[in-house]
Amino acid sequence: MNKVTKCWLYGLWLVIIAGFAAVHALHLRADFPNYSHWFSDWAKYTDEGWYGAAAIRAHLFGNWYHPGDLNTAVALPVWPFLEWVLFFFTGVTVEAARGLAIFFFFVNTVLVYLLMRHRAPRWAGMLAVTLMVTSPFYYCFSRLAILEPSLTCWLLLALNLAVRLKRFSRPLLGGALLGVLFAVMMLTKTTAVFLVPALAWAAARTLWPDWKKILRTAAATAGMAALIYGSWLALVKRAGLMEDYHYLFFINKYPKPREFYWPLVSFGWSFHGGLWLGRVLFVMAVLVLLGAIAARKRVWGYGLLTDPVFGASVLTCAGYIGFMAYQNHPQPRYFVVVALFAFILVAQGAAALLDDCYGKGGKRRHKLGLVVIAVVIAVTLNGAVWIGRFTLNPSYTFAQATDQLTRYIDEHPNGKRLLLSISDDEITLMTHLPGICDDFGTRELVTRTAEEKPGWYAAWNDLDPGTLEDLHIHYSLEQVADFPAYDDPDRNHLVLFKLHPLSTPRDYNGGDLRNPLPDDKILVDIE
C-alpha cells in the first residue's frame, strides 16, 4: 500500500471517528437513554445536580452554600468551579452542564491518541479512540454532567506527562507538574487516590533505571500535591466547613457482606461489574493481560508488561475496581474510568500482536492479532448501531416531568415555593425550581423542614417510611400529581405531594407516624 492510499484511508477513518464523536453532542436535554443496560444507575436523576449544586445556587440564588444541605463542593470544588465559570456565558441550563462534559470527552479522545502514540503505531491510537466513540456505554455516560469525564481528563493529562518525563532536564519540574495534576484529580473526585499506583508506574518506568530521578520526581509530586490539597483543607477548616467535608465520606460508606471473606465477595461483584462497559471488550482486555503474562518470557510479552502505558492502564482498571470492592458498591458510572483504559489495553494488545513495536512477530502471533481486530470491528459495528438508535430516538420523559412538576407548583401555590426531594438539585438544574434534599444533609430532616418550610415534596414511585415519619412531625401530605419519567421500574414515576403545615408539631412517640394518617392523602405504596 503506497503512502497516498494510506493517507486517504487514515483521513477517511478520522472523518468516521469525528462523526461518531460529534453525535455525542446532540440532544443534550434528552434523557439518559431509556431501555439501555445501565438503566439502574442513580446518576441520571441525582448526580448532575448534586455535584454542580454550588454553581447552580451561586447563579440562581446568589449563594453557593446551603447550610444543612448536601454541599459537595466543599470536598470536590473543581467541577462546580468550571460550571460556575461556564454559566456566566450560557446561563444555568442542563445543556450547558452536559456540554461541558462533552468538551472533556472530546479532549479525552485526543489525549488517548497522544498517550497511545508514545509507543504504539498510529493505527493503534486511532483504534483506541474508535472504541471510545463507538461504545454505547461511553455514549450514555459521557453525556452526563458527572465527575468521571473530567477526572479521566486530568488522569490522561498526568499520564501523558508521566510517559514524557525524560524530556524534562529538571525532574523536580516534571514532578511538580504531576503533583499539580494529581491535586486537581483529588479535588475533582477523591477516588483519585486509587489511581496513585498507575501514575507511579508510568513515571517510574519512564525514568527507569535512574533511581535518583525517580525519587526526586516522586518527592516533588508528593510535595506539590500535598501543598495544594493541604491548602484547600486549611481553607475549608478556616471557613468552618469541615463537617460538610467529612459528611461526603460518611454518606459514601456502604454495608459490607457479613462473611469474614467479604473482600473476595465484594471484589467478585465489582469485577463482574466490568461487563457493564461491554461484555466482549472487557473479556478481551482481561485476555490481553493474561496473554501478556503467559508470554512474559517472549520479547512482545515482556515489552507489553513493562510498557509505561500498558502497566498504567492495568493499574488504573485494578485501582478503580479495587475502590469499588472496598466500598462494596459498584455502579455503572464508576466504570467510565475503567472503560477507557480497557479500550487502551485492547488496542495495545492488537498492536503488540500485529506490529513489530515489541519485537519481530511470528505467524501465530499475527493470526491472533487478526482475530483481535476482527472482534473489535464486530464490536464497533454493533456499538455504532446502538449509538444510532440512541441518537435517532431521543426521549425527554424526565425533562418533561420536571417541567410539568414546576408548572404545577407555579399554578397551584402552596406556601413556600421550595421543593423537598432527593432529585432537588437535578430539578433545579433543569427548571430553576429551588429545593432541598430529603435524604442527605448535615442536619436532621425534621430540623431542616422546620427551618426551611418547604411547600412541596417529590418522591420516586413510593414513600420511604423513615422520611414519612420525619415529615409527619410538622406536616400532613396530600398527593396531587404523578409524572411519568424514565424506564427504571423503581424510578419511573415522579410523585408530587403538597405539604400542609400542622398548627402544632406531632410527637414521635405519639403514634405510628410511618403510615398514612387520617389527614393525609397518599395513594402510592410506602416501602
Side-chain angles (χ1 to χ4, degrees):
M1 188 181 298
N2 60 48
K3 194 172 183 179
V4 175
T5 304
K6 275 188 176 182
C7 286
W8 275 102
L9 288 175
Y10 275 119
L12 177 61
W13 193 355
L14 185 61
V15 168
I16 294 172
I17 288 173
F20 276 102
V23 300
H24 287 65
L26 301 178
H27 315 302
L28 288 182
R29 192 174 174 81
D31 296 336
F32 182 94
N34 285 323
Y35 307 107
S36 69
H37 299 305
W38 316 283
F39 67 89
S40 62
D41 197 283
W42 302 350
K44 63 186 183 182
Y45 64 89
T46 55
D47 285 32
E48 292 179 300
W50 281 350
Y51 294 112
I56 298 165
R57 293 167 185 161
H59 279 272
L60 295 180
F61 313 124
N63 193 345
W64 71 272
Y65 182 74
H66 195 146
D69 205 42
L70 182 61
N71 291 286
T72 58
V74 174
L76 311 171
V78 171
W79 179 255
F81 173 76
L82 295 175
E83 282 193 347
W84 176 72
V85 173
L86 176 66
F87 290 158
F88 277 108
F89 301 96
T90 64
V92 178
T93 68
V94 71
E95 294 93 330
R98 291 174 179 171
L100 182 60
I102 293 296
F103 167 77
F104 278 107
F105 169 75
F106 290 155
V107 173
N108 288 345
T109 60
V110 176
L111 293 175
V112 164
Y113 178 78
L114 292 176
L115 185 64
M116 288 287 295
R117 287 293 287 137
H118 174 64
R119 289 282 295 274
R122 177 170 55 173
W123 67 264
M126 294 183 71
L127 182 64
V129 175
T130 303
L131 289 172
M132 277 182 68
V133 300
T134 58
S135 166
F137 172 85
Y138 223 74
Y139 174 88
C140 291
F141 287 98
S142 65
R143 291 164 45 83
L144 286 180
I146 55 179
L147 302 179
E148 277 72 17
S150 59
L151 174 63
T152 305
C153 180
W154 310 130
L155 174 59
L156 286 170
L157 278 171
L159 288 174
N160 269 286
L161 174 61
V163 298
R164 292 170 174 84
L165 282 173
K166 281 189 176 180
R167 299 181 184 181
F168 288 83
S169 57
R170 298 180 179 179
L172 291 179
L173 177 59
L177 289 174
L178 268 180
V180 171
L181 286 171
F182 182 70
V184 172
M185 288 166 60
M186 286 291 292
L187 292 172
T188 299
K189 192 167 186 180
T190 52
T191 52
V193 72
F194 290 87
L195 303 175
V196 169
L199 287 175
W201 171 269
R205 282 302 308 168
T206 300
L207 297 174
W208 184 266
D210 193 333
W211 276 102
K212 286 185 178 180
K213 276 192 176 182
I214 291 173
L215 293 176
R216 287 175 184 172
T217 302
T221 301
M224 182 60 74
L227 177 64
I228 295 173
Y229 197 77
S231 298
W232 176 257
L233 287 182
L235 184 63
V236 167
K237 187 174 182 179
R238 185 178 179 84
L241 300 176
M242 286 303 291
E243 183 181 12
D244 295 274
Y245 177 86
H246 290 303
Y247 184 71
L248 184 68
F249 299 94
F250 170 75
I251 63 173
N252 280 296
K253 287 183 179 179
Y254 295 91
K256 305 294 190 291
R258 294 181 178 179
E259 297 86 357
F260 72 90
Y261 52 89
W262 72 263
L264 292 176
V265 176
S266 184
F267 177 78
W269 182 25
S270 300
F271 186 82
H272 182 267
L275 298 176
W276 272 321
L277 66 88
R279 290 179 174 85
V280 174
L281 284 176
F282 184 67
V283 171
M284 282 185 65
V286 174
L287 289 177
V288 165
L289 173 60
L290 294 177
I293 293 172
R296 63 189 180 278
K297 293 182 179 179
R298 299 181 184 179
V299 175
W300 76 270
Y302 179 80
L304 201 56
L305 289 174
T306 56
D307 184 273
V309 176
F310 188 85
S313 299
V314 171
L315 291 172
T316 295
C317 295
Y320 232 68
I321 290 175
F323 146 69
M324 287 180 266
Y326 170 76
Q327 192 184 37
N328 192 41
H329 187 66
Q331 286 285 303
R333 65 184 175 277
Y334 295 154
F335 285 91
V336 170
V337 179
V338 176
L340 189 146
F341 287 91
F343 301 155
I344 291 175
L345 289 177
V346 171
Q348 275 199 297
L353 292 168
L354 283 175
D355 202 88
D356 291 336
C357 52
Y358 297 110
K360 192 173 180 180
K363 289 184 179 180
R364 182 179 297 178
R365 177 174 145 192
H366 278 260
K367 285 181 181 179
L368 284 174
L370 291 174
V371 170
V372 171
I373 294 297
V375 174
V376 167
I377 291 173
V379 168
T380 54
L381 290 174
N382 180 66
V385 171
W386 273 95
I387 290 175
R389 289 175 184 170
F390 292 152
T391 305
L392 296 174
N393 300 286
S395 56
Y396 295 84
T397 58
F398 183 60
Q400 291 168 355
T402 58
D403 288 340
Q404 292 168 359
L405 180 145
T406 303
R407 190 180 308 119
Y408 186 96
I409 289 174
D410 289 337
E411 293 175 353
H412 303 81
N414 179 60
K416 191 174 180 180
R417 187 177 181 266
L418 180 67
L419 177 70
L420 178 69
S421 175
I422 194 171
S423 298
D424 67 302
D425 289 325
E426 189 79 14
I427 294 170
T428 302
L429 176 62
M430 302 285 285
T431 70
H432 300 180
L433 177 70
I436 56 175
C437 186
D438 69 313
D439 204 14
F440 300 112
T442 53
R443 298 180 190 170
E444 294 293 333
L445 180 58
V446 173
T447 304
R448 294 168 60 216
T449 53
E451 293 173 348
E452 305 262 7
K453 297 180 172 56
W456 304 87
Y457 173 57
W460 286 100
N461 287 47
D462 51 49
L463 280 173
D464 175 74
T467 302
L468 182 59
E469 181 180 41
D470 289 340
L471 290 176
H472 269 154
I473 300 299
H474 295 288
Y475 299 97
S476 62
L477 284 74
E478 178 189 359
Q479 184 174 330
V480 293
D482 184 319
F483 307 102
Y486 283 133
D487 57 330
D488 183 350
D490 294 323
R491 298 287 187 278
N492 58 2
H493 285 271
L494 191 57
V495 185
L496 182 63
F497 297 84
K498 280 185 178 180
L499 296 178
H500 298 291
L502 303 174
S503 55
T504 57
R506 292 187 177 99
D507 188 341
Y508 271 110
N509 299 319
D512 183 7
L513 303 184
R514 289 176 166 251
N515 287 299
L517 298 176
D519 50 354
D520 289 331
K521 179 185 175 183
I522 298 174
L523 304 178
V524 296
D525 294 332
I526 299 172
E527 297 290 347

